[in-house]
């Protein structure tokens, strides 16, 4: 939506600049007496310069660097299937089907984050929601305690953070364990 706004803004700036330049051309034309001969090369030069100014301004507007806001997806629900958890997560362009993710737990913004385990995107449904399952649990005792108390409450869903990268510790564990 923001991208569409900036595209329309660029068009509006270019149209406004074009109108201003043609107003200036009309004003210059008005300054000269109708009986004064104006060489055609002067008129052509003015039109070309005005066109180049429009192109440069439009190019500068198009080169604006877009900032990407990095936002972790919210967990919509937590399901326990046999002995592993499956998280239903809102749509996020940072994840693809089959990609790995680090699953963390953080009670509030002031507390430390605990890495629970390594998960992967099992499926993406037609609405864009991601189905992420825990594949490997972290070997830390804190992670094991948290893993046992996970449930589908709002506080727990808000505390679970799913990141589109693999934590170094989990990466090393995956390679050493085979």
């Amino acid at each position: 939506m923001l991208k569409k706004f900036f595209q329309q803004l660029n068009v509006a700036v270019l149209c406004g600049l074009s109108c201003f330049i043609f107003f200036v051309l009309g004003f210059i034309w008005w300054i000269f007496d109708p009986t004064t001969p104006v060489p055609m090369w002067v008129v052509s030069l003015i039109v070309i310069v005005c066109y180049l100014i429009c192109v440069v301004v439009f190019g500068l507007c198009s080169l604006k660097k877009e900032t990407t806001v990095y936002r972790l997806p919210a967990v919509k629900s937590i399901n326990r299937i046999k002995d592993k958890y499956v998280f239903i997560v809102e749509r996020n362009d940072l994840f693809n089907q089959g990609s790995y993710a680090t699953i963390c737990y953080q009670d509030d913004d002031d507390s430390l984050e605990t890495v629970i385990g390594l998960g992967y995107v099992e499926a993406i449904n037609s609405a864009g929601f991601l189905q992420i399952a825990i594949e490997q649990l972290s070997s830390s005792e804190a992670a094991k305690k948290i893993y046992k108390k996970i449930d589908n409450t709002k506080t727990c869903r808000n505390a679970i953070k799913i990141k589109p990268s693999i934590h170094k510790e989990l990466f090393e564990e995956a390679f050493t364990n085979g």
Side-chain angles (χ1 to χ4, degrees):
M1 184 171 164
L2 200 56
K3 186 176 182 181
K4 193 173 188 178
F5 170 76
F6 281 117
Q7 286 174 340
Q8 290 175 350
L9 181 68
N10 287 343
V11 171
V13 167
L14 185 61
C15 291
L17 186 63
S18 299
C19 289
F20 177 75
I21 287 173
F22 282 111
F23 173 77
V24 169
L25 279 174
F27 184 72
I28 290 172
W29 208 269
W30 178 74
I31 289 176
F32 290 107
D33 185 27
T35 58
T36 306
V38 178
M40 189 60 185
W41 68 267
V42 172
V43 174
S44 299
L45 181 68
I46 291 173
V47 169
I48 290 172
V49 167
C50 291
Y51 177 74
L52 289 176
I53 290 172
C54 285
V55 168
V56 168
V57 168
F58 184 72
L60 290 176
C61 287
S62 297
L63 288 178
K64 288 182 187 173
K65 199 170 199 177
E66 293 183 30
T67 57
T68 303
V69 177
Y70 178 73
R71 190 177 69 78
L72 295 176
V75 176
K76 295 291 185 183
S77 70
I78 301 171
N79 303 306
R80 186 174 180 105
I81 300 173
K82 296 183 184 175
D83 63 335
K84 75 176 187 179
Y85 288 102
V86 176
F87 304 97
I88 305 299
V89 180
E90 71 182 8
R91 183 181 189 281
N92 194 308
D93 293 334
L94 298 173
F95 295 90
N96 291 318
Q97 188 159 339
S99 62
Y100 283 103
T102 300
I103 300 169
C104 304
Y105 186 89
Q106 184 179 22
D107 284 323
D108 55 39
D109 291 337
D110 296 334
S111 66
L112 292 175
E113 210 173 71
T114 304
V115 176
I116 298 173
L118 179 67
Y120 71 99
V121 180
E122 285 184 326
I124 301 174
N125 69 15
S126 60
F129 291 117
L130 309 169
Q131 182 176 318
I132 299 176
I134 292 183
E135 183 171 278
Q136 179 182 342
L137 189 62
S138 177
S139 59
S140 71
E141 288 302 315
K144 290 176 183 175
K145 286 180 186 176
I146 292 171
Y147 189 77
K148 289 177 184 173
K149 71 174 188 173
I150 292 176
D151 57 1
N152 196 20
T153 61
K154 185 176 182 177
T155 55
C156 192
R157 287 192 308 262
N158 290 340
I160 299 287
K161 311 287 186 222
I162 299 181
K163 299 183 175 186
S165 57
I166 302 173
H167 193 270
K168 179 182 183 282
E169 184 179 294
L170 294 172
F171 186 74
E172 290 170 353
E173 281 180 28
F175 273 109
T176 57
N177 294 339

